[in-house]
């Protein structure tokens, strides 16, 4: 079993900051105070003044640099190699986007500075808005939500506001069983009851089931398209009609827009409201879990309900409009994760229309290539043409006692980040692989080799796979123990 | 690759899409541009902002110096381009920094535990309210008018559809502190939580402990918010049940409103109601210390509609900025930094007519006859003045909110004061 | 043998760029040309136009990022831990210095732009000049030399110019046998014959030998102080007198100024000319071998000979003076490694006078601490008080067949960069350790532990040490093979 | 630690220093300042320069776009804060990039091998001359007046004390090319090397191959210099014995004159005379490919006064910038980049009166009645004009040297042309 991508090397150990700390060490220097010092007790009242922050670290500058540098080396990252997490669209993050997000006038813009001195920042937002509208085919968009789930919440609140305005907010949101967990969680926060609808035997939305489920209590359907199997919901237009006929709305989870940009537009296939994940489709870096951006795009009928403020053009200038009586209000202070918006716009400007479309085509090609190469070795429970990702099941390997989670861990030994494990739930033992367009054939082939090699290992020596990873500085981590008696912060060892 | 896929062109891979959904024209977007042009484009946008002005705006977003180490660390591809650390064996870097973050936030707030970050302070406060409602099985929310107006708006958006009525209570027009008598009078047995912020929107320090006592008497939880994290370097942590706030002050650039990082910290007994990610300590198969995401059964990907929140992507990299900031300043530095802020603000306030008498940290309201006119005059001097309070408080239309930090230069403060 | 600092982890493999290359891949995009294209054959003449650059790589942007990121992980660096290379002063490199060196107006300043539009840059140079004069106690300084050796050349040329001006450039430069290799190499380029003088039994300059050697043929003496043993040349003033009496000059190699800043000044102990290594004492990063900065400071009598241009103040402005008839000319185009000068000035500004002195004291303390802790385990051939570094010999270990080079390699397994091996030449099997002031006690103790542990290993199991390192992705490298039939570039494998 | 050292204070560790050498007062330097103030200080210095001007200066230093990847790579502590890679087992990152650098420079220059970098172009040319002298055991140097004037000055400084007379030969006042007849007439059997530069200081492309032929006839080596590395993307590499030049154009910021990176590339037979570091391929004890510094017996730390050069610290990190630059542009990009430079310069030249008739790449001399006055007028328009050639060539006092690169905008060029 040739592991080609990695070999063993020394890796630095590092204690926690608190363990490195000792009194008096410092990594900062403040300017000399150019005004008289003020006695805290006098200014604030002694009762309001704290004693020292117990346990807070004290380290030198070189220790701080080394600390974070050493820790960083324990991470895998896109910059190290392919990161085929299905549904997460882990594509390359261009470095110029980091640079422009730090442009002085943008990075230091205060959200309350005069609009006359904010036109540049507002133009960035306006330019992104219009690009996203063109890409989605929708009529209006808010950039306020901070991530996908936040966009979902915003979108469902919009639906609710419209229906309420029509006299009845209704009670239920329909969600296919293949949906991401944020969808039902969102519906609940928006005050809706979730009703799951079972996917059909192809993993698609079951139109008949839908038709049966949609009644006067249904506010809308949340659908991911392409769905979490990576398959396009080919009857989406019919689904929209079913909903619309009953006064319900169609929400699209746009997490998988990387399969559609430049090819098909939700606004053209019946979607009323949708979110985009800027940190997926538009390549803003995931940063170990965030930040993101979750713009919500809507059709005209939902526009009056969008969060305040709305960007508008007045006499050739941009201004914020707070006078929006139907608005659902604010979902977040200020205007959104502006720094993320900058990066997303930079990505769009770099690609242009054609470039975006080419990216989509490459993403789909890459996923299909993987599918073709791995189909002989892994079970593919749903076989319709897939788009940007492909979902296998561990069925064949499970018979030998090896599960998707084990295969994932073994991939680590081969130098790859695992695929997404056990999602979507409609695939038993799911192995959800999304290569994205930014992987070249060299890297894809290495990944395919690794997967095939593991499949063979499982036949010859399942135990090696079940106990993987073997070559990392940290071997398999005991997650059960962590949850049993949670230790969520460092405390000094008792003496 | 096309051959391996059995197609003659990539187009064929889309052949199964219904004709009706297809976009049969190119996107109407300009052709792609070069890196050089991109840099140029954003530089021009940056020049069309308040670049080069001295500013005394605070109001939830503060201008603090960002130590260079912060960007040095977050620029490392290993932090920047990794995903949520689900695969613990190759994510110990991120997991360890989050564990340190949770620890430092707990230490700062005096709470038992903290989560790995929320979108921002405003959503953190809203999620804290939902958390309180779940724990108390009650719905009423009492929020002080001294809480950041935008935070209150977000709270209302979140609470509206959960059957959680939001009631506001007033403030003492003399001190600028929340009116705890008003609070007491509005509190009832259906109240899930009392929500305040300290320093409050006027910069005034609240009597949070008394407020908490009052809340507890009727079985409500006390949620304490903050927008100015640097104040935690000098202010006694509140005796609250939940602390929810914004870390923007910790080396996170103002960036026209985001991305920032919210936090929720709380007592052990509320841990299972906590929204968002948590990192816990454990061991690997060799018994070595290791960290991993934990208590995931609270979260949407496991618990779906019963989750404590729908949050998934959070603000990890921004929280890492705050982590580096806290490491750089450390115990002594954060205190010194807070003392400098205190000194600067009190110097400036000393030259002006404060609107309120309550104690303040680095932000305060002052009388101004015509705030808009004053600000316009200041712009001429390349100074951005303060926030006219009338924008959010009609009754305070003769007042302006000013903020001074360690970055405020004495000369600029003197020039500002002259304009009054 | 507990190795505390490191453990094994996966490390990414990576091919050479040329091996990753394939036609048509690209990591760049140029702006669209806003002027008519020009036919190269017409404009340049077909004979001047090249065909394609054979073998030149073609990779995508993500491949380029990964390539260099992966390669970087194969390096040890200060940012990972202690780097106790004697004579190299591997101290922490503050990151703010990198930032300020990229300040737009400085980084993009063209050396020929008008002086009126260069005042900021010239002020940086002027400020650095005056700080260095205060630190060295000399009278004038040129910032032009690019590194230490370049400074040496400049300095010896100055001596030559002065002597020539006096009528006789003389023939010889005296150099102690403990000197760095650049010293004799420099003297040779400056057209001098090198005469080595043997150090005395304490490793110091042998004053008697010096007196004997200095005659009318001697142009000067190059001495490092503290010398390469880390010992201060206590009779330096007398040595200067011996030289001066015979019309010869004293050159000081300032590589070890980290032991003196704020404590003693060469200008006060008889030095006529010296260089500084900004990349050592003043913390500009070594960058895998450079760039550096090698300012040369002189006493008044050498000032007329300094390279052109000289910075001068005219009517409150700074200007370059090219009208220097006695000047040795230029040693480098333009004014020096300006970006390095910026970093050095930033370092000096951050420290201030007291901070610089404290750094010196800490550097000396750290070296003495190591000496005290390691003296029981390793032979210390010269025992005078040492300053910022300490030089052991492998004498005791060599008896068991283990040499300094082996111990160095074994240190790698312990997670440390080795000390300087086999230099200075007057110590047989030298182990030259310079911790610098930026190491804290935690790191020093780990290093000391590692050294002691290795000393014990050598007694128990010398073979392990002789074949180290064992835990790196690359095991001991065959340097002899590399030199035997040098392969200095990649060539495509013959098919 | 003091205790372990057996002293009561750090001061004691200096007790052995003779009283006479000690500095008995504090250094007269300002107290240390904070990071914030340092950033401020240099920002102010930066603002006191030509920030924001369009510039048409070349003359050895060129304004090319620096791809963002370059700083991304060199900012990694693993490259930035490591030493010369003497310890190969933990320096394979640096060693591999240098090997790639040597390869790409060899490919670009058409030579057999290249070293790991010299201080800059000017010292590279000087060292190349010394190298030629060693190989030929001769001393005479013939250098064209079309070589960068500062390079010639450095050459003279280096050669002076080696008994190596430097003789200059002229140029054709029509074409701006070196006068090869003058060269031929000055060449003799004591000539070690003929030194030229192409494109030369006037931007004109030299007939390097004929010059090399001429040199070879008398047993001299041909050294070809370059200051504009981008020209190698389109110009045929010279049939020289040694190529010595400057890579500043490859993503190295002008930085008021340095740090840059010089290179020397040459033929196999001259390898052992090469100055500076070389990285070679080898294997580790497991037979895996590895790289290490090699042919060290040429170098000062082994060979001392017999070394090929005294160079030790070189320009490694700057060479890495060039390596990243070359990787980003690659085969096709470097060609395209060169073509854009060609087009821009020819566009601009088309609007002006070129001084010379020889073919040029991105730099050229034009007639200007009063260059100083012209430049002063341009400064008013926020344009830095060209270099008045009279500064280095009194006979060309009516000419100015202009340069256009891919960063020169048409609008600026038009505005420049209008001023003539
Ligand atoms: C299909 C799908 N929906 C929603 C989300 C939630 O998006 P976010 O993490 O940005 O909140 C995700 C992210 O993992 C997803 O894959
Ligand atoms: C004592 C001594 N002298 C001179 C030098 C040469 O300095 P540089 O490498 O800057 O040319 C060194 C550097 O290693 C040194 O240690």
């Amino acid at each position: 079993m040739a592991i080609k991508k990695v070999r063993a090397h020394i890796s630095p150990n590092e204690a926690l900051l608190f363990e490195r700390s000792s009194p008096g060490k410092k990594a900062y220097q403040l300017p000399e105070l150019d005004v008289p010092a003020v006695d805290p007790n006098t200014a604030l009242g002694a009762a309001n003044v704290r004693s020292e922050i117990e346990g807070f670290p004290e380290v030198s500058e070189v220790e701080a640099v080394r600390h974070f540098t050493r820790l960083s080396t324990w991470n895998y990252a896109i910059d190290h190699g392919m990161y085929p997490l299905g549904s997460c669209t882990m594509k390359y993050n261009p470095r110029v986007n980091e640079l422009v997000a730090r442009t002085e006038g943008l990075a230091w813009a205060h959200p309350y500075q005069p609009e006359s001195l904010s036109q540049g920042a507002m133009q960035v937002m306006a330019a992104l808005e219009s690009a996203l509208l063109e890409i989605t085919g929708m009529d209006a968009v808010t950039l306020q939500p901070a991530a996908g789930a936040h966009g979902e919440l915003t979108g469902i609140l919009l639906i609710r506001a419209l229906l309420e305005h029509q006299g009845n907010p209704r009670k239920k949101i329909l969600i296919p069983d293949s949906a991401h967990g944020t969808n039902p969680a969102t519906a609940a926060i928006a005050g809706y009851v979730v009703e799951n609808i079972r996917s059909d035997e192809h993993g698609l939305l079951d139109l008949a089931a839908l038709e049966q489920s949609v009644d006067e209590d249904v506010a809308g359907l949340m659908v991911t398209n392409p769905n979490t199997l990576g398959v396009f919901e080919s009857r989406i237009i019919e689904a929209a009609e079913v909903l619309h006929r009953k006064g319900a709305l169609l929400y699209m989870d746009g997490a998988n827009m990387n399969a559609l940009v430049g090819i098909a537009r939700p606004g053209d296939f019946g979607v009323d409201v949708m979110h985009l994940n800027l940190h997926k489709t538009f390549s803003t870096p995931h940063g170990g879990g965030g930040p993101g951006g979750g713009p919500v795009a809507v059709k005209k009928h939902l526009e009056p309900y969008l969060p305040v403020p709305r960007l508008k053009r007045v006499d050739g200038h941009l201004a914020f409009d707070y006078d929006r009586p139907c608005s659902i209000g604010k979902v977040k202070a200020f205007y959104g994760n502006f720094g993320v918006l900058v990066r997303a716009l930079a990505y769009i400007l770099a690609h242009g229309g054609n470039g975006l479309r080419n990216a989509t085509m490459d993403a789909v090609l890459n996923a299909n290539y993987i599918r073709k190469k791995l189909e002989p070795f892994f079970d593919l429970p749903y076989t319709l043409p897939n788009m940007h990702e492909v979902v296998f099941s561990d069925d064949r390997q499970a018979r030998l006692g090896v599960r998707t989670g084990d295969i994932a861990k073994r991939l680590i030994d081969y130098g790859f980040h695992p695929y997404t494990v056990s999602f979507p739930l409609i695939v038993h033992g799911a192995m959800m692989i999304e290569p994205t367009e930014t992987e070249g054939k060299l890297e894809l082939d290495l990944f395919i080799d690794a997967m095939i090699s593991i499949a063979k290992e499982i036949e010859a020596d399942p135990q090696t796979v079940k106990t993987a990873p073997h070559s990392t500085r940290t071997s398999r981590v005991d997650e059960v123990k962590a949850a049993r008696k949670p230790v969520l912060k460092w405390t000094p060892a008792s003496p | 690759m096309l051959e391996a896929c059995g197609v003659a062109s990539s187009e064929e891979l889309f052949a199964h899409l219904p004709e009706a959904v297809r976009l049969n024209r190119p996107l109407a977007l300009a052709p792609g541009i070069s890196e050089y042009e991109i840099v140029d484009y954003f530089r021009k946008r940056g020049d069309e902002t308040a670049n080069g002005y001295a500013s005394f705006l605070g109001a939830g977003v503060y201008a603090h110096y960002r130590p260079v180490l912060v960007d040095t660390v977050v620029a490392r591809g290993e932090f920047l381009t990794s995903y949520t650390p689900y695969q613990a064996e190759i994510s110990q870097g991120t997991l360890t920094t989050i564990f340190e973050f949770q620890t430092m936030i707990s230490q700062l707030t005096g709470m038992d535990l903290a989560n790995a970050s929320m979108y921002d302070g405003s959503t953190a406060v809203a999620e804290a309210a939902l958390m309180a409602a779940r724990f108390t099985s009650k719905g009423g929310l009492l929020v002080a008018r001294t809480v950041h107006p935008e935070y209150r708006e977000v709270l209302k958006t979140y609470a509206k559809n959960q059957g959680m009525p939001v009631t506001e209570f007033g403030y003492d027009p003399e001190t600028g502190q929340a009116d705890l008598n008003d609070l007491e009078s509005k509190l009832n047995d259906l109240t899930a939580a009392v929500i305040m912020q300290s320093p409050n929107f006027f910069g005034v320090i609240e009597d949070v402990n008394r407020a908490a006592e009052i809340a507890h008497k009727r079985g409500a939880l006390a949620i304490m918010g903050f927008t100015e994290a640097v104040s935690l370097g000098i202010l006694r942590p509140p005796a609250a049940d939940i602390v929810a706030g914004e870390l923007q002050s910790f080396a996170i650039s103002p960036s026209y409103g985001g991305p920032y990082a919210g936090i929720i910290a709380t007592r052990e007994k509320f841990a299972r109601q906590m929204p968002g990610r948590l990192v816990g300590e454990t061991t690997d198969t060799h018994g070595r210390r290791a960290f991993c995401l934990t208590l995931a059964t609270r979260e949407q990907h496991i618990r779906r509609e019963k989750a404590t929140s729908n949050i998934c992507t959070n603000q990890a990299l921004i929280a890492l900025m705050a982590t580096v900031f806290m490491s750089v300043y450390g115990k002594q530095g954060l205190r010194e930094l807070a003392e400098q802020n205190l000194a600067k603000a009190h110097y400036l306030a000393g030259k002006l007519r404060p609107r309120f008498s309550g104690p303040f940290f680095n932000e305060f309201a002052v009388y101004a006859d015509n705030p808009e006119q004053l600000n316009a005059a200041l712009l001429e001097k390349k100074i951005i003045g303060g926030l006219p309070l009338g924008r959010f408080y009609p009754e305070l239309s003769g007042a302006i909110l000013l903020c001074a930090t360690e970055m405020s230069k004495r000369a600029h403060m003197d020039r500002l004061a002259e304009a009054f």
Side-chain angles (χ1 to χ4, degrees), chain A, chain B:
Chain A
M1 305 302 147
I3 292 181
K4 296 176 193 158
K5 271 202 73 182
V6 283
R7 59 193 209 229
H9 192 44
I10 47 172
S11 160
N13 294 334
E14 176 66 2
L16 293 177
L17 275 170
F18 317 101
E19 295 158 346
R20 292 207 139 265
S21 177
S22 65
K25 288 200 286 196
K26 52 181 271 194
Y28 74 97
Q29 175 164 9
L30 282 159
E32 223 181 307
L33 195 57
D34 62 358
V35 298
V38 164
D39 175 34
N41 290 327
T42 317
L44 300 168
N48 282 323
V49 177
R50 80 181 301 159
S51 53
E52 69 166 33
I53 310 166
E54 221 177 301
F56 219 62
E58 291 175 87
V59 299
S60 70
E61 184 172 326
V62 61
E63 284 175 319
V65 170
R66 285 182 185 164
H67 179 74
F68 292 106
T69 303
R70 289 170 179 169
L71 293 190
S72 78
T73 64
W74 304 348
N75 269 5
Y76 186 92
I78 296 255
D79 278 8
H80 286 189
M82 182 170 167
Y83 215 121
L85 273 176
S87 208
C88 300
T89 314
M90 294 296 284
K91 57 172 76 174
Y92 169 64
N93 308 128
R95 274 317 208 293
V96 65
N97 301 1
E98 296 308 304
L99 180 79
V100 296
R102 285 171 173 80
T103 303
E104 173 103 9
L106 301 177
W108 283 92
H110 190 290
Y112 289 156
Q113 71 192 24
E115 286 178 3
S116 61
L117 290 177
S118 306
Q119 291 295 307
M122 294 165 95
Q123 273 182 55
V124 166
M125 295 174 70
L128 181 61
E129 282 193 1
S130 66
L132 296 181
L133 292 180
E134 169 63 12
I135 288 165
T136 56
M138 306 296 280
D139 297 323
V141 61
T142 175
L143 305 175
Q144 198 172 104
H150 204 213
E152 294 173 26
L153 176 60
T154 308
I156 299 301
L157 290 179
L158 292 171
I159 291 178
R160 187 173 188 109
L162 172 74
L163 294 175
E164 225 160 34
H165 202 253
Q166 291 173 351
N168 177 7
R170 304 194 177 190
K171 300 209 176 71
K172 293 189 294 191
I173 292 285
L174 305 179
I175 299 181
D177 51 6
S178 61
H180 192 261
T182 51
N183 293 182
T186 293
I189 294 182
Y192 284 112
V193 171
V194 172
E195 186 171 313
N196 283 302
I197 22 178
R198 198 183 283 228
S199 305
D200 72 10
E201 72 277 20
H202 304 297
L204 292 180
L205 202 54
D206 186 329
L207 218 61
L210 179 69
E211 197 129 18
Q212 261 188 332
S213 302
V214 180
D215 58 25
E216 307 301 315
D217 275 346
V218 170
L221 166 74
M222 291 182 90
V223 69
T224 308
N225 195 16
N227 65 20
T228 56
L229 296 169
V231 176
F232 191 82
E233 293 286 357
S234 50
R235 302 183 63 193
I236 188 75
I237 293 181
E238 292 89 320
E241 282 166 5
V242 167
L243 291 158
H244 292 159
R245 230 176 287 136
K246 292 283 170 72
L249 286 89
L250 177 56
Y251 183 96
M252 183 176 124
D253 179 331
N256 292 343
M257 270 302 284
N258 213 43
L260 298 186
V261 175
I263 300 286
R265 310 194 309 168
D268 298 340
F269 53 72
V271 170
D272 297 292
V273 45
M274 66 176 295
H275 78 262
L276 293 160
N277 301 62
L278 299 181
H279 43 302
K280 298 183 180 183
T281 316
F282 299 97
S283 179
T284 72
H286 278 81
V296 170
V298 297
K299 282 306 185 73
K300 220 176 264 121
H301 49 292
L302 286 164
E303 196 270 346
Y305 307 97
L306 287 173
V308 282
R310 298 278 305 137
L311 208 54
K312 66 173 179 198
R313 225 168 260 279
V314 185
D315 305 335
H317 277 76
L318 289 162
F320 283 122
D321 185 0
Y322 286 90
D323 185 17
R324 308 263 311 166
C326 299
S327 167
I328 59 166
K330 293 190 74 63
V331 295
K332 188 181 162 312
F334 317 116
Y335 325 115
N337 277 347
F338 178 78
V340 176
L341 308 180
V342 169
R343 291 168 173 88
L345 179 60
Y347 176 88
I348 291 171
L349 291 177
H351 282 72
N354 269 341
L356 290 174
R357 184 169 194 273
N358 288 340
T360 304
M361 307 232 292
D362 289 347
V364 172
L365 176 61
N366 281 353
N368 276 280
Y369 180 69
I370 288 177
R371 170 178 171 159
K372 276 290 178 314
K373 294 287 187 177
L374 293 186
E375 241 182 307
F377 302 92
F378 297 93
D379 180 55
L380 189 72
Y382 296 99
T383 54
L384 285 179
N386 66 278
M387 300 192 76
H388 68 302
E389 63 193 3
V390 55
V391 183
F392 292 98
S393 129
D394 66 8
D395 207 49
R396 283 161 65 173
Q397 289 71 32
R399 276 180 246 141
L400 300 164
V402 178
R403 307 304 317 267
T404 173
D406 301 320
I407 299 169
K409 295 296 182 202
R410 185 59 179 155
L411 263 176
I412 294 173
D413 283 329
Y414 278 80
F416 284 96
H417 194 281
Y419 47 75
T420 292
V421 176
S422 307
F423 175 74
L425 303 179
I426 59 167
V427 173
H428 193 73
M431 308 161 58
M432 186 191 210
I433 303 171
E434 181 183 7
T436 86
E437 71 279 9
T438 57
E439 294 308 326
K441 184 164 182 300
L442 283 175
E443 191 82 3
L444 293 176
D445 283 338
L446 280 168
F447 174 76
I448 289 161
D449 274 5
M451 288 293 288
I452 294 172
S453 180
I454 294 170
K456 290 182 181 158
E457 276 181 330
I458 290 169
E459 286 169 9
D461 171 19
Q463 202 51 29
T464 294
V465 178
K466 288 175 71 172
T467 53
H470 301 286
S471 50
T472 44
R473 54 174 292 112
T474 299
S475 59
R476 206 178 281 205
V477 160
D478 189 344
E479 299 191 352
V480 175
K481 178 177 172 185
R484 208 179 306 125
K485 204 182 165 307
V487 177
L488 303 174
K489 68 175 180 192
W490 175 86
T491 39
S494 14
Chain B
M1 284 174 64
L2 288 168
E3 202 176 316
C5 294
V7 293
S9 77
S10 294
E11 310 277 350
E12 270 183 47
L13 294 170
F14 298 87
H16 64 285
L17 294 194
E19 188 52 36
V21 309
R22 290 158 153 281
L23 178 68
N24 287 320
R25 58 164 177 86
L27 286 173
L29 295 173
I33 59 176
S34 67
E35 199 183 274
Y36 172 36
E37 291 163 298
I38 292 169
V39 173
D40 225 43
Y41 172 86
F42 286 101
R43 175 182 301 229
K44 285 201 186 107
R45 297 297 81 74
D47 289 343
E48 290 158 4
T49 66
N51 219 342
Y53 284 66
S55 167
F56 293 91
L57 282 172
V61 179
Y62 304 92
H64 292 289
Y65 180 70
R66 301 184 63 237
V68 174
L69 273 199
V70 173
D71 277 351
T72 304
V73 170
V74 301
R76 282 187 66 84
E78 288 84 348
F79 286 128
L80 183 72
T81 73
S82 54
Y83 194 68
T84 306
Y86 287 119
Q87 296 292 344
E89 296 81 4
I90 44 173
S91 308
Q92 286 296 306
T94 295
L95 288 162
T96 306
T97 62
I98 297 176
F99 188 76
E100 293 179 329
F101 174 82
Q102 292 175 180
T103 302
M104 287 193 274
I105 297 300
S106 301
Q107 292 167 341
L108 268 182
T109 57
M111 293 284 120
D112 296 331
L113 64 135
N115 72 2
S117 78
M118 304 303 290
Y119 300 137
D120 75 343
S122 70
T123 55
V125 167
E127 293 261 20
L130 303 191
M131 189 180 154
R134 281 191 302 273
F135 186 81
T136 60
S137 303
K138 303 197 276 185
L141 298 174
L142 265 174
V143 58
R145 281 193 74 216
T146 53
V147 169
H148 195 298
E150 298 214 25
Y151 285 35
R152 282 182 281 134
E153 288 184 57
V154 173
L155 177 69
K156 286 173 200 163
T157 307
Y158 269 72
K160 193 155 52 189
N161 308 301
Q162 306 253 340
M164 295 171 61
V166 178
T167 309
E168 298 192 336
F169 58 100
Y171 60 89
D172 179 333
E174 273 302 303
T175 63
Q177 286 170 317
D179 180 346
L180 299 187
N181 294 328
D182 192 27
L183 162 63
E184 213 156 1
S185 75
K186 286 173 173 159
L187 192 68
N188 63 40
D189 292 334
L190 299 176
T191 307
V194 170
I195 303 170
M196 286 169 60
Q197 170 188 325
S198 184
N200 68 24
F201 189 68
F202 308 139
V204 175
I205 292 149
E206 300 278 13
D207 190 347
V208 290
N209 292 0
R210 228 196 97 212
E213 265 170 42
I214 294 169
H216 290 161
K217 267 192 284 184
R218 300 297 287 262
L221 301 191
I223 298 175
M224 292 300 161
F226 64 87
T227 58
E228 175 42 296
V230 168
S231 70
L232 294 170
I234 198 162
L235 289 182
R236 189 183 295 279
D241 301 294
I242 309 176
V243 177
E246 170 58 63
L247 297 185
Q248 179 273 326
S249 287
F250 284 2
I252 302 170
S253 39
S255 194
Y256 211 51
Y260 300 158
I263 62 107
I264 294 186
T266 191
R267 306 265 173 229
E268 184 107 33
K269 62 180 165 191
F270 306 120
R272 306 222 167 227
Q273 292 303 335
M274 178 73 99
R277 297 191 188 118
L278 288 168
V279 167
E281 184 178 321
T282 183
T283 49
D284 71 4
T285 54
H286 293 97
R288 297 174 293 208
R289 178 167 69 186
F291 300 98
C292 65
L293 292 171
T294 192
L295 298 180
T297 49
R298 299 163 302 113
E299 287 186 77
Q300 45 73 27
H301 64 283
I302 306 286
R303 197 52 158 248
R304 302 179 78 86
E305 61 267 32
K306 301 211 173 55
T308 56
S309 166
N310 71 335
I311 194 170
C312 177
T313 290
N314 61 13
Q315 304 286 117
L317 196 76
I318 313 293
L320 176 57
M321 289 185 180
T323 305
V324 179
F325 174 94
M326 292 187 278
S327 317
V328 166
Y329 277 101
K331 186 189 283 189
Q332 189 188 328
L334 198 57
R335 174 69 178 225
E336 242 184 76
L337 178 64
E339 287 181 2
Q340 283 214 357
N341 275 260
L342 188 72
K344 298 269 188 169
H346 284 255
Y347 173 82
L348 179 57
K351 302 178 153 267
L352 301 167
R353 282 201 304 142
R355 172 64 185 79
F356 297 117
S357 63
F360 62 95
F361 172 59
N362 68 354
E363 207 171 4
F364 52 93
V366 295
Y367 285 103
D369 295 337
N370 187 332
E372 276 71 24
Q373 209 173 301
L374 175 74
N375 277 343
L378 285 167
L379 288 183
E380 300 285 308
K381 303 189 187 194
K382 282 262 185 186
I383 290 177
I384 297 179
L387 181 82
L389 279 170
R391 171 169 172 184
F392 296 113
Y393 300 87
E395 71 278 16
L396 295 175
S397 61
I400 192 167
L401 185 64
L402 293 172
C403 173
T405 72
E406 79 284 1
M407 290 180 82
S408 305
K409 297 195 170 124
R410 183 176 184 146
H412 289 141
M413 293 194 281
D414 291 345
R415 244 193 289 159
L416 171 72
E418 279 161 23
F420 274 78

